[in-house]
Amino acid sequence: MDQIWRAFGHTIPLIVAMCLIITTLAFVIYLFKNRRYGVFSARRSASWAGLAASVAVAVAITLSPGHGVENRTLELVPFRRLFDGFGQEMTLTQMAANFALFVPIGIFLALALQDTSRRWSAAILAVGFPLMIEITQYLFVPGRVAAAEDWIVCSAGIFVGLALGYGGRRMATSASAMHRTSPRTPNA
């Protein structure tokens, strides 16, 4: 926890501000879009707001400048640092943090997309969003390492989140259907 605070302590106000701004903006856009059709779902609004907030946090953390180093690094061989032995513990910690950072994006994306035919869109986003972050890190953010392993781990986090979100939604739907179809017994 101390390492995380030292690494990202200076960006916490930025992260909080971005979350608030993006969540508010997403909520307002959602309200205006669905106001025309007379449709409003609190669950879906919360899902879109959660998606916006989790994307804002991921962007703020992954695109903040690195410390002490001004050059950019591109690491195309995935998981090489894991097998080098040098910094193996830190690499595992970074991989776990990247994975955990992107799981909520997948969960909220699955909950926000009501139509199950959009699963291909979600899969494309799961691969494309982390790829765009790594490209942006390499091109524009000094002191950061754009690594193939980060892209793989972040995409895996989103895919796990998608599975959790779709699975949770399916369980809630089937539980609701069972509750509606169960015979009601008269109260004695």
Side-chain angles (χ1 to χ4, degrees), residues 81-186:
R81 293 180 287 174
L82 252 178
F83 301 110
D84 281 351
F86 177 73
Q88 189 174 25
E89 184 178 316
M90 183 61 177
T91 301
L92 286 173
T93 303
Q94 280 181 318
M95 288 173 59
N98 280 340
F99 182 83
L101 180 65
F102 283 80
V103 168
I105 293 172
I107 291 172
F108 286 119
L109 183 60
L111 295 175
L113 297 176
Q114 286 185 334
D115 188 7
T116 55
S117 67
R118 295 186 183 190
R119 288 186 182 173
W120 283 108
S121 300
I124 291 169
L125 285 170
V127 173
F129 180 62
L131 180 62
M132 292 308 301
I133 284 179
E134 294 303 315
I135 290 170
T136 304
Q137 279 182 341
Y138 182 70
L139 294 176
F140 302 110
V141 185
R144 297 299 291 223
V145 176
E149 68 194 40
D150 290 346
W151 172 56
I152 293 168
V153 169
C154 294
S155 293
I158 294 176
F159 278 117
V160 166
L162 284 168
L164 291 171
Y166 284 129
R169 204 170 77 193
R170 183 177 299 151
M171 285 176 29
T173 303
S174 64
S176 175
M178 285 178 34
H179 179 16
R180 281 183 281 163
T181 59
S182 66
R184 298 178 190 249
T185 58

Side-chain angles (χ1 to χ4, degrees), residues 11-106:
T11 60
I12 289 177
L14 174 67
I15 292 170
V16 170
M18 281 184 66
C19 284
L20 290 174
I21 291 168
I22 291 176
T23 302
T24 303
L25 184 63
F27 186 69
V28 168
I29 290 170
Y30 176 78
L31 283 178
F32 280 118
K33 180 182 160 216
N34 289 321
R35 190 172 151 192
R36 286 187 290 194
Y37 305 113
V39 176
F40 180 77
S41 165
R43 181 191 62 80
R44 192 144 184 238
S45 298
S47 299
W48 281 106
L51 178 62
S54 57
V55 165
V57 168
V59 167
I61 289 175
T62 57
L63 297 182
S64 64
H67 299 290
V69 182
E70 290 300 318
N71 61 346
R72 295 168 191 83
T73 307
L74 180 62
E75 182 64 52
L76 294 176
V77 179
F79 308 108
R80 183 185 61 85
R81 293 180 287 174
L82 252 178
F83 301 110
D84 281 351
F86 177 73
Q88 189 174 25
E89 184 178 316
M90 183 61 177
T91 301
L92 286 173
T93 303
Q94 280 181 318
M95 288 173 59
N98 280 340
F99 182 83
L101 180 65
F102 283 80
V103 168
I105 293 172

